[in-house]
Amino acid sequence: MGASNNSEESPRLNVTGYRRLRAGTQPEYSHAAYASSCKRCPTHPLVAIPHTLTEVTGPEFTMDDISGNGCDLTRAGTGHPLGEKIIVSGRVLDEDGRPVRKALVEVWQANSAGRYMHERDQHQAPLDPNFTGRGQTLTDGEGNYRFVSIKPGAYPWRNHPNAWRPAHIHFSLFGSAFVTRLVTQMYFPGDPLLPFDPIYNCTADEEARKRLISIFDWETTIPETALGYRFDIILRGRDATPMEL
Amino acid sequence: MPGACASTSQTVGPFFHLGLTAVDLSNLAGPNVKGEHITLEGHVLDGDRVPVPDALIEVWQANSHGKYAHEADCQRKPLDAHFRGYGRTATLADGSFRFRTIRPGQVPGTNGALQAPHIEVCVFMRGLLKQLVTRVYFENDPANANDYVLRLIEPARRNTLVARAEGENVYRWNILLQGEDETVFFDV
């Protein structure tokens, strides 16, 4: 095999990297107010590497990858889950405002009582047999996604005395490259627990933090049925100029 | 909203299994995939050398020809219809993880040079507010000596990215979050 004379096999590749994340808009690994970070954060500085073909590629997904009840989390059981039905929708865009198409969006969340259907969740709140709290979808050609769900409840955790997580939905996103991978959480407007939550507050930049809070949305609210919340997500954008590899 | 910066990362938390590992994606290479089939296994350990029982590990790699199943890879190399190159799994109670895959071929790096065979790795867990990115290389691969990315790392730490051959087609690689032999993580 001609693995060593690759230049004969293939033309020179132009790889366009992705923009580095802006200082302050992402959390640091070490965050003293979040106790679990202390023994799990790296202590050496990260080593900066260029974006090669490895970094600018990533898995591509199709509808075949969508399992379970897809984008409707209220259809997990035989009956209706308890709680306030909601529509969570938005767009996945890059930093230049371009839609990210066919992005895999995965969500998981607690039920309306603040309990996850997970063996390690020991909160005394009741489970709901009609709600597993798992959803998956792909964005459409305009970067739109939409989930039907139940508003999750707040729940206690042991980070500090009388610690409560504000209501949130976990989001996982794959964009067009492995370096655009994002896991985040969506919060609800007006939640009184937000100022006290070390996870929400882990990012220095206030504007960046606020964008984790969804916006109540009349346009997607369905009369007699469900309140709409809008949550747009921005993935890293590309560098202006390609690098020749 | 043009000009806005990327959304803020938040921890994956302790309950990600619910959303992310309901389908087992730890086997990247079924029997029809071409190449040298391998097992990549190891443990994730925290700063007290305690196993991490709730880490999510994702891997991304080229096929045995050194081609990524992605539109940005325009190399004239064959795709393998049975190989996507992506996997993910959660650590078990003892902090262990295991992927079944194939040894990747070489892909281009910088200045036209080929990179040594490697697998890109993303690590998420409760306590990590954003993912850690690293790579796995393979012990005894002569290409490691000239790999551009490995050479960006101070020599004493490079071994943290090299999986040890252990038995037939088994490679062992641990992820150490802290300590003297802390795994090298990348700013990408």
Side-chain angles (χ1 to χ4, degrees):
Chain A
M1 284 292 293
S4 59
N5 58 354
N6 183 67
S7 57
E8 287 175 28
E9 289 182 355
S10 303
R12 277 293 178 98
L13 290 170
N14 284 320
V15 165
T16 306
Y18 284 78
R19 294 209 283 277
R20 300 283 159 166
L21 293 158
R22 208 178 297 167
T25 64
Q26 297 291 328
E28 299 298 326
Y29 289 106
S30 175
H31 184 59
Y34 178 31
S36 303
S37 75
C38 300
K39 294 292 181 187
R40 294 182 164 194
C41 64
T43 60
H44 285 79
L46 303 188
V47 175
I49 63 168
H51 291 174
T52 72
L53 205 49
T54 305
E55 285 74 30
V56 304
T57 53
E60 295 175 331
F61 296 96
T62 68
M63 285 308 289
D64 291 342
D65 294 297
I66 306 300
S67 60
N69 293 281
C71 63
D72 191 343
L73 287 73
T74 65
R75 290 190 175 175
T78 51
H80 293 294
L82 293 170
E84 185 183 324
K85 195 169 183 176
I86 58 173
I87 307 296
V88 177
S89 64
R91 292 183 79 192
V92 181
L93 303 169
D94 71 14
E95 289 174 297
D96 297 308
R98 285 188 288 251
V100 182
R101 302 179 178 91
K102 290 189 177 176
L104 177 65
V105 186
E106 297 169 284
V107 296
W108 66 103
Q109 63 166 91
N111 67 21
S112 61
R115 175 86 184 265
Y116 285 88
M117 195 167 271
H118 191 288
E119 59 185 9
R120 293 184 197 163
D121 186 354
Q122 300 300 314
H123 183 28
Q124 304 166 32
L127 286 167
D128 183 340
N130 292 312
F131 192 74
T132 54
R134 167 176 186 252
Q136 290 185 308
T137 194
L138 288 181
T139 57
D140 68 12
E142 299 300 315
N144 294 298
Y145 73 87
R146 179 179 185 271
F147 290 102
V148 181
S149 191
I150 293 293
K151 189 172 181 184
Y155 60 85
W157 60 314
R158 293 175 182 162
N159 186 69
H160 56 273
N162 209 6
W164 290 80
R165 291 295 332 274
H168 62 274
I169 298 176
H170 293 270
F171 272 73
S172 163
L173 291 106
F174 287 86
S176 51
F178 212 50
V179 290
T180 67
R181 184 87 178 86
L182 175 72
V183 171
T184 189
Q185 299 180 25
M186 180 202 104
Y187 299 92
F188 290 86
D191 193 320
L193 293 168
L194 284 170
F196 307 101
D197 183 50
I199 293 178
Y200 169 72
N201 288 291
C202 68
T203 298
D205 187 293
E206 188 184 1
E207 287 307 310
R209 268 200 313 270
K210 282 184 177 167
R211 285 197 283 117
L212 297 178
I213 305 174
S214 57
I215 297 163
F216 170 66
D217 185 7
W218 279 117
E219 275 190 35
T220 55
T221 292
I222 305 173
E224 321 288 331
T225 303
L227 295 183
Y229 290 92
R230 183 166 188 84
F231 184 56
D232 292 332
I233 297 158
I234 301 177
L235 303 182
R236 293 170 69 175
R238 288 189 171 264
D239 272 332
T241 50
M243 293 180 299
E244 190 180 87
L245 292 188
Chain B
M1 49 188 100
C5 59
S7 298
T8 294
S9 174
Q10 296 267 276
T11 182
V12 76
F15 306 129
F16 64 82
H17 311 79
L18 180 57
L20 301 181
T21 59
V23 175
D24 179 23
L25 296 176
S26 66
N27 185 354
L28 287 74
N32 295 327
V33 173
K34 293 190 186 72
E36 179 189 337
H37 285 245
I38 61 168
T39 297
L40 175 68
E41 59 184 27
H43 287 79
V44 183
L45 302 174
D46 74 8
D48 291 330
R49 289 294 189 268
V50 172
V52 173
D54 54 1
L56 175 72
I57 303 176
E58 296 186 337
V59 293
W60 170 241
Q61 66 168 90
N63 68 20
S64 59
H65 305 286
K67 169 114 177 148
Y68 286 104
H70 187 272
E71 61 179 8
D73 187 340
C74 50
Q75 298 179 90
R76 293 191 206 119
K77 292 178 179 176
L79 282 168
D80 185 333
H82 303 287
F83 190 71
R84 174 152 71 182
Y86 170 72
R88 72 178 166 194
T89 195
T91 52
L92 302 178
D94 63 354
S96 67
F97 65 89
R98 173 176 295 145
F99 289 101
R100 299 192 193 283
T101 184
I102 47 122
R103 190 184 174 107
Q106 289 187 267
V107 300
T110 54
N111 304 322
L114 288 173
Q115 304 188 60
H118 63 274
I119 298 175
E120 192 97 335
V121 179
C122 227
V123 184
F124 301 85
M125 67 185 78
R126 172 179 65 82
L128 273 185
L129 289 158
K130 54 186 172 183
Q131 66 258 45
L132 288 166
V133 178
T134 183
R135 285 183 173 195
V136 186
Y137 290 82
F138 298 90
E139 184 180 17
N140 297 329
D141 193 310
N144 289 346
N146 293 313
D147 184 80
Y148 181 85
V149 169
L150 272 180
R151 290 170 66 102
L152 289 172
I153 302 165
E154 57 178 295
R157 300 190 67 209
R158 287 177 197 164
N159 274 343
T160 67
L161 302 193
V162 180
R164 305 283 155 215
E166 202 174 77
E168 203 170 331
N169 298 325
V170 176
Y171 286 89
R172 167 156 283 277
W173 176 68
N174 294 326
I175 300 173
L176 279 62
L177 298 165
Q178 298 179 352
E180 258 180 47
D181 42 1
E182 178 178 315
T183 302
V184 169
F185 299 107
F186 294 128
D187 173 3
V188 292

